[in-house]
Amino acid sequence: MTVRAAVAGASGYAGGELLRLLLAHPDVEIGALTAGSNAGSSLGEHHPNLVPLADRMLVDTAATELAGHDVVFLALPHGHSAALAAELGDDVVVVDCGADHRLNDPTAWERWYGGEHPGTWPYGIPELPGGRDGLRGANRIAVPGCFPTVSSLALAPAVAAGIVEPEAVVVAVTGSSGAGRALKPHLLSAEVMGSASVYGVGGAHRHTPELIQNLSAAAGGDVAVSFTPVLAPMARGILATCSAPVRDGVDAEAARKVYDQAYGDEPFVHVLPEGSWPQTSATVGANTVHLQLTIDWDAGRLVVVGAEDNLTKGTAGGAVQCMNLALGLDETAGLPVAGLAP
């Protein structure tokens, strides 16, 4: 089975990462590559690393260019996916890497993104409880945000098993590629290098409702989440430190057993050996999440640390994994588990 795939927003970071992975996919033929203001230029001008596609020309992002493909990946700014997807038929699998279709609650959408809620699509973290069932055979898929991917996987087993109280604190350090490729003064190298800074503090980051949605679903009840993102001087990667109050009677052995049972058979989520802690460099370019956990007995909290590449498992790799499930392909096809280190 050969799948013909188009990538809308191919000149951006997420689009480029999608193409890197699709080039290695045994069942994919790469079709149309589209862009907004970069239409008319060659892909190589934006992604010189993608040598096999360097001479391909970017065309306008329009439904006429995307029609006729088996799969369309939308690597577009938030708010641009819904209208375009509505023009594509049900015979096309549309995988949205933006936020347009992630949230279930229209009120939450209006609060965090504004405007009318564009609807909810099957959610793209297969490793969450019931995640794969919603993705198999789906023709519309919402890829999660990069922070919710690693943080949800870090805490979902604990809240699902009831070994922690339903309140979590997440502090996640990220690289500047998570903000996309558009020029932003605060992301210039002179501003980022040699400095770390917080943003979206006090529940102001748009990934907060997504985290709450995921953990509440895993817990079967409301989970409160305090989320603080930290910008660090690196290009890519997320290191998330996630904690929650541990319940009486739970010890380190019981907590680890919960995580081993949750992820022991997962190809992309790895609970590291005791004493080994996640680092972003080990996940760069890989569709993996590395986890480690302990109990801070003085604070009475379970602490889970997770690392991922925000562009791979956190975006493009997760999107390809979801495509594989939707089309009945090998879930691991085209997806590396070995990171690029050093």
Side-chain angles (χ1 to χ4, degrees):
M1 175 182 181
T2 299
V3 174
R4 185 168 169 79
V7 176
S11 62
Y13 289 142
E17 184 72 351
L18 277 164
L19 291 170
R20 182 181 74 86
L21 298 173
L22 293 174
L23 279 168
H25 198 296
D27 303 311
V28 170
E29 173 190 340
I30 297 174
L33 309 180
T34 83
S37 60
N38 291 320
S41 61
S42 69
L43 184 72
E45 294 178 48
H46 310 283
H47 300 298
N49 59 308
L50 300 177
V51 175
L53 301 172
D55 294 334
R56 293 279 298 274
M57 300 303 293
L58 300 173
V59 299
D60 288 326
T61 298
T64 52
E65 301 287 354
L66 300 172
H69 293 81
D70 300 301
V71 181
V72 173
F73 292 95
L74 302 179
L76 304 174
H78 302 327
H80 289 69
S81 298
L84 185 61
E87 297 184 60
L88 299 172
D90 291 340
D91 57 330
V92 180
V93 175
V94 181
V95 184
D96 182 15
C97 295
D100 289 20
H101 302 93
R102 295 172 183 164
L103 297 183
N104 296 326
D105 183 357
T107 301
W109 170 267
E110 291 167 8
R111 173 188 171 189
W112 292 92
Y113 292 95
E116 184 178 353
H117 183 226
T120 304
W121 290 358
Y123 189 74
I125 302 184
E127 298 87 355
L128 289 180
R132 287 186 175 87
D133 293 338
L135 294 167
R136 291 189 177 100
N139 63 3
R140 296 291 186 271
I141 295 169
V143 177
C146 52
F147 286 121
T149 297
V150 61
S151 304
S152 298
L153 290 171
L155 287 172
V159 298
I163 64 173
V164 295
E165 299 293 340
E167 52 181 272
V169 174
V170 176
V171 179
V173 179
T174 186
S176 56
S177 63
R181 200 166 195 170
L183 294 177
K184 302 176 181 70
H186 72 285
L187 296 180
L188 294 172
S189 61
E191 303 290 336
V192 174
M193 297 305 295
S195 177
S197 58
V198 297
Y199 62 102
V201 183
H205 195 283
R206 285 175 167 176
H207 286 176
T208 302
E210 199 177 336
L211 271 168
I212 293 171
Q213 175 177 288
N214 294 348
L215 295 179
S216 296
D222 291 342
V223 176
V225 178
S226 173
F227 171 49
T228 303
V230 181
L231 178 64
M234 58 185 185
R236 54 201 288 173
I238 293 177
L239 188 72
T241 300
C242 313
S243 71
V246 68
R247 285 189 163 147
D248 292 341
V250 177
D251 59 18
E253 183 179 355
R256 188 168 188 89
K257 184 177 180 180
V258 165
Y259 278 78
D260 288 340
Q261 289 178 338
Y263 296 133
D265 295 326
E266 289 294 344
F268 300 121
V269 182
H270 305 294
V271 181
L272 300 180
E274 291 189 48
S276 179
W277 289 91
Q279 50 189 321
T280 58
S281 62
T283 63
V284 172
N287 192 56
T288 55
V289 170
H290 289 187
L291 299 175
Q292 186 57 276
L293 62 144
T294 190
I295 295 178
D296 181 342
W297 291 111
D298 290 330
R301 300 182 73 85
L302 175 73
V303 180
V304 187
V305 177
E308 71 171 7
D309 185 330
N310 57 293
L311 291 178
T312 314
K313 179 58 172 169
T315 306
V320 173
Q321 186 179 349
C322 290
M323 175 200 73
N324 288 340
L325 284 166
L327 295 175
L329 304 174
D330 177 355
E331 184 178 343
T332 66
L335 296 170
V337 294
L340 305 174

